[in-house]
Amino acid sequence: MKKLFLLLIALNVGAIIARADTLVIKGSDTLGAKLVPQLAEEFKAQHPGTTFDIAAEGSTTGIAAIIDGTAQVGMSSRRAKPEEESTAAAKGVKLTPTTVAYDGLGVIVNSANPIKGVTKKQVEQIFTGDVTDWSAVGGSGGKISIYTRNTSSGTYSDWKELAMKKRDYAPSSQKMAGHEQIAAEVGKNPDGVGYVGLAYMKASGIKVVPIDGAMPTQQAVRDKTWPYARPTFYYTNGEPKGLAKEFVDFTVSDAGQKIVDRVGFVPVK
């Protein structure tokens, strides 16, 4: 009986240790589809025994996960909204951001689309539905098919802020789960258009469209000359602690920022 009791204690201790070595990260697809998994792989190589539970379903879900305590790190491509901060404060949670990388958003079309470029005004007109045919913006004609992120995405709200003067998307726009899904749909649709971050601009079947003669590049974001750039964040409840702190510190370290650069984002340093 005593041996069984000791065995149960040992198993419970083992389970606690296992849980302690698992980092739960939720939120932004912008960060969570490519960058954070690669950071996690390198971190695990340096910290054997560490495991990650990463769910990239949109910035809103990451901030919500910090508020309700279901994640230690919340990925977000936007800042927390006032109502989110109020909800957090009511629960004794202090939403604390750490800037981990900068990103630039750009317009993509199908590689077969003959369009050579658009203006900022035309970008607004396309995504709000003021313009519905490619012939109105220098294309060869065809009904424009708009692909956007879903409403839980920070990129969805950032694009409205940066490119659409906070106007609503065209009612016909189709909402996608992530950048890779937008690129895939545009790559299959000759009349498709969408927006993706820097790390997702090399997908097959698409091309990036110049805006006012300029292209989204890491250098343009670094030089602050690209108008559709934004910071990205990790959110934690107060200053990060334990394993979360180690991972946040690794992300903003020289080694972590080299991965940021390699994936296609712009380092914070």
Side-chain angles (χ1 to χ4, degrees):
M1 190 70 179
K2 185 176 180 181
K3 287 183 178 180
L4 177 62
F5 180 70
L6 291 174
L7 177 61
L8 289 172
I9 290 176
L11 289 172
N12 285 334
V13 169
I16 292 170
I17 291 172
R19 286 196 299 271
D21 287 339
T22 297
L23 186 60
V24 180
I25 303 176
K26 296 182 180 182
S28 167
D29 168 83
T30 301
L31 294 174
K34 285 189 176 183
L35 176 58
V36 171
Q38 292 194 35
L39 288 165
E41 286 303 311
E42 182 61 29
F43 186 87
K44 285 192 291 186
Q46 299 178 17
H47 300 79
T50 301
T51 59
F52 285 80
D53 182 354
I54 301 171
E57 299 173 343
S59 299
T60 298
T61 65
I63 292 172
I66 298 303
I67 294 173
D68 62 26
T70 57
Q72 294 122 295
V73 176
M75 305 173 288
S76 183
S77 61
R78 62 166 175 81
R79 293 190 181 276
K81 299 175 181 177
E83 56 267 30
E84 291 169 327
E85 293 180 338
S86 297
T87 300
K91 294 186 176 183
V93 172
K94 184 179 180 182
L95 290 173
T96 304
T98 300
T99 304
V100 295
Y102 292 96
D103 189 24
L105 297 172
V107 173
I108 58 168
V109 297
N110 186 278
S111 56
N113 191 321
I115 195 167
K116 301 297 184 184
V118 291
T119 65
K120 289 180 187 176
K121 181 62 177 176
Q122 288 172 329
V123 170
E124 178 191 342
Q125 291 172 326
I126 288 168
F127 284 93
T128 57
D130 289 347
V131 166
T132 59
D133 195 280
W134 284 111
S135 60
V137 290
S140 58
K143 183 176 173 57
I144 299 172
S145 296
I146 303 168
Y147 298 95
T148 78
R149 289 297 313 283
N150 56 36
T151 55
S152 66
S153 160
T155 304
Y156 178 91
S157 55
D158 279 346
W159 191 247
K160 286 180 68 172
E161 177 90 23
L162 295 169
M164 299 166 58
K165 297 181 179 175
K166 301 183 180 180
R167 298 174 61 193
D168 289 333
Y169 287 91
S172 63
S173 61
Q174 301 172 68
K175 297 176 176 62
M176 301 287 111
H179 293 258
E180 291 174 322
Q181 288 80 3
I182 289 178
E185 291 302 317
V186 172
K188 293 185 292 185
N189 186 344
D191 292 318
V193 64
Y195 50 77
V196 294
L198 291 171
Y200 305 90
M201 293 181 180
K202 295 180 180 178
S204 63
I206 67 168
K207 66 179 183 180
V208 182
V209 181
I211 301 175
D212 286 335
M215 290 286 280
T217 64
Q218 286 176 293
Q219 191 60 48
V221 172
R222 191 176 289 114
D223 294 342
K224 300 182 180 178
T225 59
W226 186 245
Y228 309 111
R230 76 275 177 74
T232 63
F233 310 95
Y234 288 163
Y235 271 90
T236 51
N237 180 5
E239 293 301 321
K241 303 177 182 64
L243 190 59
K245 175 176 169 52
E246 290 184 51
F247 185 67
V248 172
D249 288 347
F250 170 72
T251 298
V252 297
S253 71
D254 289 344
Q257 291 294 292
K258 284 181 181 177
I259 297 172
V260 166
D261 182 69
R262 186 181 73 217
V263 172
F265 291 80
V266 175
V268 294
K269 296 180 181 178

